[in-house]
Amino acid sequence: MSKLPVIEIFGPTIQGEGAVIGVKTMFVRTYGCDYRCSWCDSAFTWDGSAKDKLRLLEPETIVEELMALADGNFDSVTISGGNPALIGEGMKHFIDLLHRKSIQVAIETQGSRWQDWFYDVDVLTISPKPPSSGMKTDWDVLDHILRNMKEHGRATHNLKVVVFGEEDLEYAKSVHRRYEDVQLFLQPGNDDVKEAGDISGRLLRRLEWLFNKVIADPALNRVRVLPQLHALIWHNKQGK
């Protein structure tokens, strides 16, 4: 199927996390996920609560909508979900269309599914989920993805682990040991994605905790610790 299941198109905004943090970007959020993380901040992409917003769109239509929103005011598109890696040829075609317009493509996926179009992504963030998510990592699949990316010879991929506590931090260290040649980003988790109002104080305390843990641990000398920048500024608002 060439159409993409899309639940949101918005921007421009600022990318709040990972390797392209701080970059002005448009967002395309796809519907559907093969995971059910306990703390997911975009559960509406898979739990049915926003299914009325789901549209099956041709890649050309998505590009048209992006241009209608902000033509000339962006050169980066972030494709998130859900899990965009559930989509096959339609996603490759969409990426190709964006590249023809000299637009950079960033995608995040949990590393549960391989797609050949990973090779075409400018910034591919692979974010395996730690124990607090309630999900189990398929290490064979993750090994396959990272081996393919390494053998392809393009340094376009990175790893990111969200950390909520000590068990998650140990998981992140195991990921770092297993893939020591891949840049790893650590991010403190937002443990209440429905809280209204200003959550920046709570998030900063979590960030300070993670800073101190990394500072004290020689096994984490080469990781990078980042905040959820968008959550510090816009809190739990959707579409930011």
Side-chain angles (χ1 to χ4, degrees):
M1 183 176 70
S2 62
K3 293 182 178 180
L4 277 64
V6 174
I7 196 166
E8 280 188 313
I9 300 174
F10 64 92
T13 186
I14 302 297
Q15 172 59 262
E17 56 191 81
V20 287
I21 190 170
V23 172
K24 180 163 67 172
T25 187
M26 301 296 287
F27 268 84
V28 176
R29 192 182 297 279
T30 63
Y31 191 86
C33 192
D34 50 335
Y35 275 19
R36 298 293 184 267
C37 296
S38 61
W39 36 251
C40 181
D41 62 0
S42 53
F44 62 92
T45 62
W46 50 262
D47 67 5
S49 63
K51 201 168 184 178
D52 58 316
K53 297 180 180 178
L54 170 62
R55 296 183 293 159
L56 295 177
L57 300 177
E58 297 283 356
E60 290 84 356
T61 302
I62 303 172
V63 173
E64 290 170 4
E65 292 197 16
L66 289 167
M67 295 305 164
L69 281 171
D71 190 7
N73 195 27
F74 70 96
D75 61 12
S76 175
V77 169
T78 300
I79 304 170
S80 63
N83 183 8
L86 298 179
I87 303 169
E89 285 302 308
M91 183 65 76
K92 176 173 176 53
H93 183 42
F94 180 45
I95 294 168
D96 289 344
L97 290 174
L98 293 172
H99 282 164
R100 289 175 201 168
K101 293 182 174 291
S102 299
I103 295 170
Q104 174 180 275
V105 179
I107 286 184
E108 180 172 324
T109 176
Q110 59 260 45
S112 60
R113 187 79 62 93
W114 168 259
Q115 292 286 355
D116 287 344
W117 52 254
F118 283 180
Y119 295 137
D120 301 322
V121 178
D122 298 291
V123 183
L124 176 66
T125 296
I126 301 160
S127 183
K129 305 309 178 188
S132 63
S133 70
M135 300 293 104
K136 299 292 185 182
T137 300
D138 187 328
W139 295 105
D140 289 339
V141 173
L142 196 55
D143 287 348
H144 175 68
I145 291 171
L146 289 165
R147 183 170 57 250
N148 283 355
M149 295 304 295
K150 181 177 182 179
E151 290 176 354
H152 194 259
R154 291 187 66 206
T156 61
H157 60 291
N158 64 89
L159 288 158
K160 186 188 80 175
V161 175
V162 179
V163 177
F164 283 84
E166 296 285 353
E167 189 177 13
D168 288 355
L169 190 59
E170 288 302 313
Y171 173 89
K173 288 165 68 173
S174 71
V175 169
H176 195 38
R177 286 192 299 268
R178 193 178 188 102
Y179 313 110
E180 60 183 359
D181 58 340
V182 181
Q183 178 65 67
L184 173 63
F185 296 91
L186 299 184
Q187 172 186 304
N190 178 1
D191 53 9
D192 189 349
V193 297
K194 296 182 179 180
E195 180 183 355
D198 188 343
I199 64 172
S200 58
R202 173 168 60 80
L203 295 182
L204 287 170
R205 288 190 293 274
R206 297 298 301 155
L207 182 61
E208 182 181 15
W209 172 82
L210 187 54
F211 275 175
N212 288 333
K213 288 293 182 180
V214 171
I215 288 168
D217 195 332
L220 296 171
N221 288 350
R222 296 175 58 204
V223 306
R224 297 186 185 183
V225 183
L226 296 175
Q228 277 191 309
L229 189 60
H230 60 292
L232 288 174
I233 303 300
W234 291 304
H235 316 300
N236 281 327
K237 293 179 183 177
Q238 189 175 326
K240 291 291 189 180

